[in-house]
Amino acid sequence: DFNKHHINPYAIGGYDKYTGIMYFNSQYDTREKVLDFVNKSKGHFANTTEYAPFLHELGHKYYEDSIKRLAISKNMSYNNVKKEIDRKIYDYIESKGGNFFAEENLSGYANIGYEHNDYTEIIAECFSVRNDNLIAKEILSLLE
């Protein structure tokens, strides 16, 4: 119950990087409700299946876990590794045409993340279509 836990009641899911907890709004308790949410604005989400919110939130976890793992392996701080990864994502998208590229090849949501330097949203969208989208695979490879 998002209202009860003071989470945006209009969101379908969330991921807390500090606790590692993923949240899903109990309001969306059927396949049809999830699909209605995901597809209410065409092109907003890269994945348009009932799995989209779950994969998207797992993508946030993947982004955070990648940063933590690289920080340990490179003996660097979390913040420095995050800056390095975010710069790679930014440079990749810029080299391909910027926000138009993000929107046309991923989703409107990824584009919003790009415009606001919120690269976890780009990775979350890439993660949700990683098996079907070559661009998503290329961007995800930047985290390795």
Side-chain angles (χ1 to χ4, degrees), residues 6-140:
H6 310 291
I7 301 171
N8 177 359
Y10 301 108
I12 194 167
Y15 174 71
D16 184 334
K17 70 180 183 179
Y18 301 107
T19 63
I21 296 172
M22 283 191 294
Y23 298 92
F24 295 98
N25 194 331
S26 62
Q27 181 179 3
Y28 301 96
D29 58 355
T30 67
R31 178 180 185 272
E32 291 75 23
K33 288 179 184 177
V34 172
L35 285 171
D36 284 345
F37 180 90
V38 169
N39 293 301
K40 69 182 172 189
S41 57
K42 192 159 178 69
H44 188 68
F45 290 100
N47 184 318
T48 57
T49 71
E50 66 271 24
Y51 303 112
F54 304 101
L55 292 170
H56 180 93
E57 297 310 325
L58 283 171
H60 286 299
K61 180 173 176 21
Y62 180 76
Y63 174 78
E64 290 299 325
D65 288 351
S66 295
I67 293 170
K68 290 174 188 173
R69 187 178 61 250
L70 281 170
I72 291 167
S73 71
K74 291 184 168 195
N75 196 28
M76 293 172 61
S77 73
Y78 171 94
N79 287 338
N80 285 340
V81 170
K82 182 180 180 314
K83 286 178 190 174
E84 189 177 294
I85 286 174
D86 289 353
R87 171 54 69 181
K88 287 180 182 180
I89 297 166
Y90 173 83
D91 288 346
Y92 176 87
I93 293 174
E94 275 296 299
S95 75
K96 301 291 187 176
N99 60 348
F100 295 111
F101 178 80
E103 187 155 7
E104 291 172 5
N105 292 282
L106 295 170
S107 69
Y109 206 9
N111 186 53
I112 291 167
Y114 173 77
E115 289 176 344
H116 292 105
N117 300 317
D118 191 8
Y119 299 103
T120 184
E121 295 301 343
I122 296 167
I123 296 303
E125 284 295 278
C126 288
F127 192 85
S128 75
V129 292
R130 68 194 182 282
N131 296 327
D132 305 314
N133 183 312
L134 181 61
I135 300 301
K137 285 180 186 179
E138 288 179 8
I139 292 173
L140 289 173

